[in-house]
Amino acid sequence: MSRILVTGGAGYIGSTATAILADRGYEVVVFDDLSTGHADSVDSRATLIQASLLDPEALASALVGCEAVIHFAGKSLVGESVEKPELYHHVNVDGTQNLLDAMATAGIDKIVFSSSAATYGQPVDDPITEESIASPTNPYGASKLAIDKMITAAGISAISLRYFNVAGAYESTNGWLPERHNPETHLIPLVLRATAANPLKIFGTDWDTKDGTCIRDYVHVVDLIEAHILALGALKPTVHEIVNLGSGGGYSVREVIAASEQVLGRTVPTVESPRRAGDPATLVASIKKAKSLLGWTPTRDLVTMISDAVKSQVQ
Ligand code: UFG
């Protein structure tokens, strides 16, 4: 049974990966400073090491006996990154350099990295392919692109997975693993908690899209983690691949609201609001490379993402 180090394994996506890897028989070591993650999200079969990427000794001891790393840890709020660019560079870029250095010392040369569609910035292509220009428009995206370049320079076996909009939840043997961000900024959790007193703000209704609201490519977190497991098996010596992960199609904000109303069986209170700074109108992934390189096809649709998010929040 192979042992995998999962950095950021107490966060929404990392804890889902940890539970699914444990279900598949992997031995999982979670490395997380719990600055935004939750210890009670970590599957009981995993070992939790509470430490920061900025602590090289802790990284060295966590890597002992590991065959590969899945690297989720990092700061991940676009808005916060604009206010605190140095923090994002320090934790994400310097922290990942520490991880790569510790891996080199330990002789571990396999990594699957949680990159982001934010590396592309304002898209010039629709859909966005891995060859599309990467020109991030915020420090969060810049940090992810810098890490992708560092991984290439390291010359190890690597796959960077560029996520589009991740949603839904996984029901593990310990219960549902909900999306728990504080503050919550993501559309689907905010739609589910909207009330008449606190309606969902629709950020912009005058975009150049079919209904005037932004279009995004939503992918179920369980499909997303399936791609990570396939990526572990697709690593090739000294090759670094970059792969987009979305569903290959887009939904507008209004379509997400309509699908949520269908799942909830009630109206979602909304208020039309100004555009949010930095939002592109449309972000849709080409997932041809994920299909050809990983043999991956997402199978869970938008209604499944929303209904799993609902179940995870009411357990
Ligand atoms: N939206 C609203 N109201 C809200 C929240 C969001 O209308 O209260 C809209 C946004 O304007 C956007 C869509 O819903 O059009 C999705 O917004 P999210 O905040 O859920 O997701 P983003 O597309 O902004 O962000 C995602 C990832 C980021 C990543 C980014 C890349 O969550 O980590 O894509 O651009 F950086």
Side-chain angles (χ1 to χ4, degrees):
M1 183 169 46
S2 66
R3 184 189 293 189
I4 309 289
L5 183 74
V6 176
T7 74
Y12 162 52
I13 300 173
S15 66
T16 302
T18 298
I20 295 175
L21 286 164
D23 289 347
R24 303 279 173 93
Y26 288 89
E27 193 183 326
V28 184
V29 178
V30 168
F31 188 93
D32 196 303
D33 66 3
L34 300 182
S35 57
T36 53
H38 306 272
D40 63 358
S41 292
V42 177
D43 192 281
S44 55
R45 292 164 290 184
T47 304
L48 170 62
I49 296 174
Q50 185 181 347
S52 162
L53 294 174
L54 302 172
D55 180 347
E57 285 81 30
L59 280 168
S61 60
L63 283 165
V64 172
C66 291
E67 190 188 315
V69 176
I70 307 184
H71 180 33
F72 297 101
K75 312 277 314 162
S76 63
L77 295 175
V78 171
E80 184 185 55
S81 80
V82 175
E83 286 160 26
K84 301 175 184 171
E86 297 86 3
L87 176 71
Y88 273 65
H89 187 86
H90 190 45
V91 174
N92 293 5
V93 181
D94 299 341
T96 303
Q97 189 61 62
N98 288 343
L99 174 65
L100 293 172
D101 291 346
M103 287 173 65
T105 303
I108 298 165
D109 64 353
K110 297 188 180 77
I111 188 166
V112 174
F113 172 56
S114 162
S115 187
S116 171
T119 53
Y120 295 110
Q122 284 290 338
V124 254
D125 300 321
D126 181 18
I128 298 169
T129 75
E130 293 79 359
E131 276 72 49
S132 296
I133 293 162
S135 180
T137 51
N138 55 63
Y140 166 69
S143 74
K144 292 286 183 180
L145 182 60
I147 295 167
D148 283 341
K149 290 179 178 169
M150 277 160 40
I151 291 173
T152 305
I156 56 179
S157 308
I159 298 183
S160 291
L161 298 170
R162 290 189 172 163
Y163 312 159
F164 282 64
N165 288 63
V166 187
Y170 179 59
E171 186 176 22
S172 77
T173 47
N174 298 340
W176 285 93
L177 290 167
E179 193 170 352
R180 283 197 277 168
H181 295 118
N182 186 17
E184 186 53 77
T185 60
H186 293 117
L187 178 63
I188 291 175
L190 290 174
V191 166
L192 301 183
R193 69 177 68 161
T195 60
N198 200 3
L200 176 87
K201 291 182 179 151
I202 300 177
F203 293 145
T205 54
D206 58 350
W207 296 96
D208 183 18
T209 59
K210 56 188 165 186
D211 65 13
T213 64
C214 287
I215 293 177
R216 293 288 181 274
D217 184 342
Y218 296 88
V219 58
H220 196 294
V221 67
V222 175
D223 284 329
L224 186 94
I225 299 310
E226 190 63 51
H228 289 67
I229 294 172
L230 291 166
L232 282 176
L235 292 169
K236 293 196 190 72
T238 74
V239 176
H240 178 206
E241 297 280 3
I242 296 200
V243 180
N244 289 343
L245 293 181
S247 292
Y251 290 97
S252 72
V253 172
R254 287 201 197 282
E255 286 172 331
V256 171
I257 294 165
S260 303
E261 289 178 331
Q262 183 192 325
V263 169
L264 293 166
R266 62 171 172 80
T267 304
V268 171
T270 61
V271 57
E272 295 189 2
S273 303
R275 293 181 176 191
R276 186 173 64 177
D279 265 344
T282 302
L283 275 178
V284 176
S286 163
I287 56 170
K288 280 189 189 153
K289 188 170 178 185
K291 286 183 179 168
S292 61
L293 190 82
L294 307 178
W296 178 76
T297 306
T299 59
R300 293 160 182 84
D301 64 9
L302 182 65
V303 165
T304 306
M305 293 178 219
I306 296 166
S307 60
D308 287 349
V310 171
K311 289 178 203 159
S312 74
Q313 304 208 336
V314 297
Q315 70 176 323

